[in-house]
């Protein structure tokens, strides 16, 4: 699975406004699987869990703060919201997975080796 981060000054919309999303999920298979989860209403379920699970809510807030810090290291965007609905709701799983994947990958190398979904374009190395 790949996650592409915004680099340099960051992309801009035609009117000069910074593009609001810093991380993107770029693996087609993973993006399709995430789309299926979204279509099945996982965002609503996870938002409800944020309201009842303090540990999950704290971890989600920490992810929000990490996202903002990483985005601001590229370019400070005062007043811009976080992404994916953070910190209070789950809105876009593609953004959330795109943001979390590099950190999860670094901390779970053995699982990454077992899951070769999109390395080198897929399990057979096709692009």
């Amino acid at each position: 699975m790949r996650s592409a981060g915004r680099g340099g000054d960051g992309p801009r919309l035609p009117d000069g406004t910074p593009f609001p999303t810093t991380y993107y999920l770029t693996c087609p298979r993973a993006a399709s699987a995430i789309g299926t989860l979204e279509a099945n209403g996982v965002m609503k379920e996870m938002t409800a869990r944020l309201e009842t699970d303090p540990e999950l809510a704290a971890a989600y807030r920490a992810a929000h703060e990490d996202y903002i810090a990483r985005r601001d290291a590229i370019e400070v965007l005062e007043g811009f919201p976080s992404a994916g609905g953070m910190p209070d709701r789950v809105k876009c799983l593609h953004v959330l997975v795109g943001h979390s994947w590099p950190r999860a990958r670094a901390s779970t190398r053995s699982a990454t080796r077992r899951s070769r979904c999109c390395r080198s374009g897929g399990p057979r190395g096709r692009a």
Side-chain angles (χ1 to χ4, degrees):
M1 191 178 326
R2 294 183 209 113
S3 171
R6 194 174 81 172
D9 187 25
R12 303 241 170 220
L13 298 174
D15 69 358
T17 304
F19 193 79
T21 304
T22 304
Y23 295 93
Y24 312 89
L25 182 63
T26 60
C27 171
R29 284 184 172 170
S32 177
I34 295 298
T36 299
L37 291 172
E38 288 183 342
N40 288 328
V42 167
M43 293 93 56
K44 189 179 285 189
E45 293 172 19
M46 292 306 296
T47 297
R49 280 191 58 201
L50 288 172
E51 296 171 7
T52 61
D53 184 339
E55 189 174 326
L56 178 64
Y60 199 55
R61 173 145 311 266
H64 159 74
E65 291 168 2
D66 180 74
Y67 186 95
I68 296 294
R70 290 174 186 275
R71 183 186 70 196
D72 285 355
I74 297 167
E75 177 181 4
V76 176
L77 301 177
E78 292 292 332
F80 269 67
S82 186
M86 293 187 288
D88 302 316
R89 66 190 177 108
V90 178
K91 179 181 172 189
C92 178
L93 297 178
H94 292 83
V95 170
L96 299 174
V97 172
H99 168 248
S100 66
W101 178 254
R103 277 144 302 288
R105 184 175 174 198
S107 65
T108 57
R109 291 285 180 203
S110 64
T112 301
R113 285 186 198 106
R114 289 191 306 267
S115 174
R116 302 197 184 276
C117 167
C118 292
R119 284 192 180 180
S120 303
R124 294 189 187 144
R126 286 181 274 161

